[in-house]
Each structure stands twice: as structure tokens, then as C-alpha cells.
């Protein structure tokens, strides 16, 4: 039985061009994310007692029980699903409303938030993710390595950017800082962020 399903992208595959190409999404969604889903479906067969839990609950249980292979694949499934929703053809730039108010309150200004988000993404050594999260009532920027996710630390994800090389190499080669700036300036889905507040 198939428990985990690769979600459809919430936009046309070429809708994010030129910032994120259809070719890049072919590999990232169609190959990388799909491989995590296939592997997670294999591994969950060894843990049938987890099958009835939600995706988030399985991520948390897999980490708690030190099931490294399951955690890596299921964590990557959760993180990528969250990432596709963090992107929009109409995204990028400065948000408005409550989220802008909270960013100003917790980071001093939108410019400070933008700089800290980019620098945190650059500072993730090797593969990982940079997140805007809500920790209690406060917004924070955190990075996680490999398949790690802030939900296992009790933090609520608001948006995420994938900083694995496979996320940007086809469009930006080694220029992770430019990819992070483009994510914030052109792609970040503030409507999704508002739903998560
Ligand atoms: Mn990825």
C-alpha cells in the first residue's frame, strides 16, 4: 500500500522561470523528491505501527526512535512538500499585513530580515534548509542540516528555502547567495506564510 504520495507542484512547471527553471524542477521535484517518497514507502513497511499517523507525526517519531533512514526520507518528503508551497509565480518582495508587522517587530525591519535569511542560508555548511519559523510568539530564522526539520524542535514552519546544491545548481551553479536573494525577491509565497502564522 502506498502511504506517501509525491504532491503535484502548486504551479505550472515553467511558471517560476527565469528564477527557477522547468528543467531544474524536473530534476528537483520529479527525481529528487520522488526518490525520497519511493524510499519512504519502502521503509514504512518495516514500521507498520506508524502508518496511521500524520506525516508530521511520523517525522517526529522517526527522529525520536532514531530511525535514521526513515527519518531522512520522510523528513525530506515533508521539507520538500513545504518548500513547493513556499514558492509562487506571484511571490517575492515585501509582504504586507500582519506578517510584515511581525517581521518588523522581531527583526527590526524587512531589510534586516532579508539579510539575516540570506546569511543564514549561506552559513548552512553543506546540505540543508533555511526556515522562517514561529517559536512561541516570536519569528526566528533557523537553519537545519540534511533532512532535519524544525517541527521536531516544536517550532512552527512559516516558509522554507532548500539550500541543497540540487536546488540551485542547474540555474545558479555554485552561487547560493544569488539563489537565496532570488528566492526572497522573486519567489517566496507570502500568502502561504500568512496561512501558517
Ligand atoms: Mn531539495
Amino acid at each position: 500500500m502506498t502511504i506517501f504520495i509525491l504532491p503535484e507542484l502548486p504551479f505550472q512547471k515553467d511558471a517560476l522561470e527565469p528564477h527557477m527553471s522547468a528543467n531544474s524542477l524536473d530534476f528537483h521535484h520529479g527525481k529528487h523528491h520522488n526518490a525520497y517518497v519511493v524510499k519512504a514507502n519502502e521503509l514504512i513497511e518495516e514500521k507498520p505501527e506508524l502508518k496511521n499517523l500524520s506525516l508530521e507525526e511520523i517525522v517526529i517519531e522517526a527522529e525520536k526512535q532514531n530511525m535514521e533512514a526513515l527519518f531522512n526520507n520522510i523528513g525530506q518528503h515533508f521539507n520538500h512538500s513545504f518548500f513547493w508551497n513556499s514558492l509562487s509565480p506571484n511571490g517575492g518582495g515585501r509582504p504586507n499585513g500582519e506578517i510584515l508587522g511581525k517581521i518588523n517587530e522581531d527583526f527590526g525591519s524587512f531589510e534586516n530580515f532579508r539579510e539575516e535569511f540570506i546569511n543564514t542560508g549561506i552559513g548552512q555548511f553543506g546540505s540543508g534548509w533555511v526556515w522562517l519559523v514561529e517559536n512561541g510568539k516570536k519569528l526566528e530564522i533557523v537553519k537545519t542540516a540534511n533532512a532535519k526539520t524544525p517541527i521536531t524542535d516544536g517550532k512552527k514552519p512559516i516558509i522554507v528555502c532548500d539550500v541543497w546544491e540540487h536546488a540551485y545548481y542547474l540555474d545558479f551553479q555554485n552561487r547560493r547567495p544569488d539563489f537565496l536573494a532570488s528566492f526572497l525577491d522573486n519567489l517566496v509565497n507570502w500568502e502561504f506564510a500568512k496561512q501558517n502564522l
Side-chain angles (χ1 to χ4, degrees):
M1 190 180 142
T2 305
I3 304 283
F4 308 112
I5 298 192
L6 181 69
E8 296 272 342
L9 289 172
F11 40 78
Q12 293 294 312
K13 210 187 288 175
D14 60 359
L16 306 183
E17 293 193 346
H19 314 296
M20 190 178 287
S21 65
N23 183 39
S24 181
L25 284 163
D26 259 332
F27 281 92
H28 198 179
H29 176 261
K31 305 286 187 205
H32 289 278
H33 187 176
N34 188 56
Y36 298 125
V37 170
V38 169
K39 195 71 191 166
N41 277 314
E42 278 171 35
L43 292 166
I44 199 74
E45 291 301 326
E46 297 160 20
K47 279 278 166 185
E49 68 273 22
L50 298 183
K51 281 185 182 179
N52 292 325
L53 302 179
S54 70
L55 177 57
E56 288 86 343
E57 288 169 333
I58 300 173
V59 170
I60 290 165
E61 272 309 301
E63 175 162 282
K64 207 185 287 175
Q65 298 184 32
N66 291 315
M67 294 182 277
E68 193 183 350
L70 180 64
F71 176 79
N72 284 337
N73 286 281
I74 204 75
Q76 285 294 77
H77 176 39
F78 175 82
N79 291 352
H80 281 92
S81 300
F82 205 85
F83 179 52
W84 309 133
N85 285 317
S86 297
L87 303 168
S88 168
N90 308 310
R94 189 184 292 260
N96 54 28
E98 187 192 356
I99 184 108
L100 181 62
K102 284 193 65 69
I103 285 173
N104 285 333
E105 199 178 306
D106 294 333
F107 297 97
S109 68
F110 180 76
E111 288 66 32
N112 287 351
F113 155 78
R114 184 180 176 281
E115 190 180 342
E116 187 181 330
F117 191 93
I118 291 171
N119 286 336
T120 304
I122 294 169
Q124 172 53 41
F125 184 77
S127 296
W129 303 82
V130 55
W131 307 77
L132 178 65
V133 299
E134 208 170 23
N135 184 13
K137 293 222 166 301
K138 211 171 146 49
L139 291 179
E140 289 177 358
I141 294 166
V142 297
K143 54 187 163 74
T144 60
N146 301 318
K148 279 278 288 170
T149 173
I151 62 172
T152 58
D153 298 324
K155 294 175 182 173
K156 188 162 74 159
I158 306 296
I159 51 171
V160 71
C161 185
D162 188 343
V163 296
W164 283 59
E165 277 191 351
H166 69 221
Y168 57 86
Y169 216 83
L170 292 176
D171 293 326
F172 291 86
Q173 291 74 53
N174 61 325
R175 291 175 289 118
R176 188 191 286 187
D178 293 350
F179 168 69
L180 284 158
S182 178
F183 170 79
L184 290 177
D185 296 342
N186 304 305
L187 297 175
V188 61
N189 186 348
W190 289 121
E191 293 308 314
F192 178 62
K194 286 175 192 173
Q195 293 165 26
N196 294 324
L197 267 188

